[in-house]
Amino acid sequence: MRRIVLVSIELIALILVINLMYGKTAAATPNISKSYNISGNIINGTIVSTSATQSNYVVPGTIDNDKRLLGIIVKSNDSLLAIDAGNNTEQVAITGNASTLVSDVNGSINIGDEITVSPFSGIGMKKSDGYRVVGVAESNFNSKSPGVGDESVKDNNGVTHKINVGYIYMTIDIGSGAGTGAGGNQPNL
């Protein structure tokens, strides 16, 4: 089994080198994903955490379950390597890069900014102290970014705010960052 894994890794590396040498791009993004069960409908780009009650299930990531962060929902054919891909499951990118749902609830996102979960189910935001990091932004995001949609949300005081929601390309790096762990400040929502 160990020899098969090593051969597979060498084969993947060879394919990447050939694509780089001849200027071809692979259809898959450079991530590795694993199959998980879901309850309900979760769209691609959703940040997910492991379920607290069901084995091998994922749920949308929030500030309430950030200690169980796992990765980003992706299509199996968008992964360089999709482990246990099958029917009635979703692929979760656990390492590499993925297109990720974010909002500007904690400000505009710039390349290199750390991304964490937000108060909104499955949607990330610019890092806020005290929450685990999901990854690092590889693209910018603000109200003028392509494909941005605006949403009206109410804060804890019942005041309505307009936030922007869309996608960024992100390097997955769960748990990194200076202020990881529970607690700390969160946006006033």
Side-chain angles (χ1 to χ4, degrees), residues 49-72:
S49 296
T50 56
S51 171
T53 58
Q54 295 177 293
S55 178
N56 204 43
Y57 272 77
V58 292
V59 296
T62 67
I63 57 177
D64 296 324
N65 63 19
D66 74 322
K67 288 189 182 244
R68 298 188 320 271
L69 284 173
L70 182 64
I72 312 299

Side-chain angles (χ1 to χ4, degrees), residues 71-101:
I72 312 299
I73 295 287
V74 296
K75 294 178 187 174
S76 61
N77 60 349
D78 285 344
S79 292
L80 186 60
L81 177 61
I83 301 168
D84 298 330
N87 296 333
N88 303 321
T89 60
E90 293 290 336
Q91 289 299 118
V92 177
I94 53 177
T95 186
N97 299 325
S99 183
T100 307
L101 275 168

Side-chain angles (χ1 to χ4, degrees), residues 1-14:
M1 179 69 161
R2 185 174 180 205
R3 180 165 165 69
I4 292 170
V5 171
L6 289 175
V7 171
S8 295
I9 291 171
E10 290 173 356
L11 181 60
I12 291 168
L14 178 62

Side-chain angles (χ1 to χ4, degrees), residues 123-175:
I123 300 173
M125 67 180 181
K126 186 177 194 174
K127 185 178 181 298
S128 184
D129 289 341
Y131 297 106
R132 291 187 71 198
V133 170
V134 179
V136 178
E138 296 294 331
S139 55
N140 296 322
F141 179 79
N142 59 47
S143 63
K144 297 185 188 324
S145 296
V148 170
D150 61 345
E151 296 289 328
S152 294
V153 296
K154 289 188 180 184
D155 67 19
N156 295 335
N157 299 320
V159 177
T160 300
H161 300 272
K162 186 173 115 177
I163 63 167
N164 296 297
V165 179
Y167 288 89
I168 62 165
Y169 199 60
M170 184 181 76
T171 298
I172 301 165
D173 190 12
I174 305 288

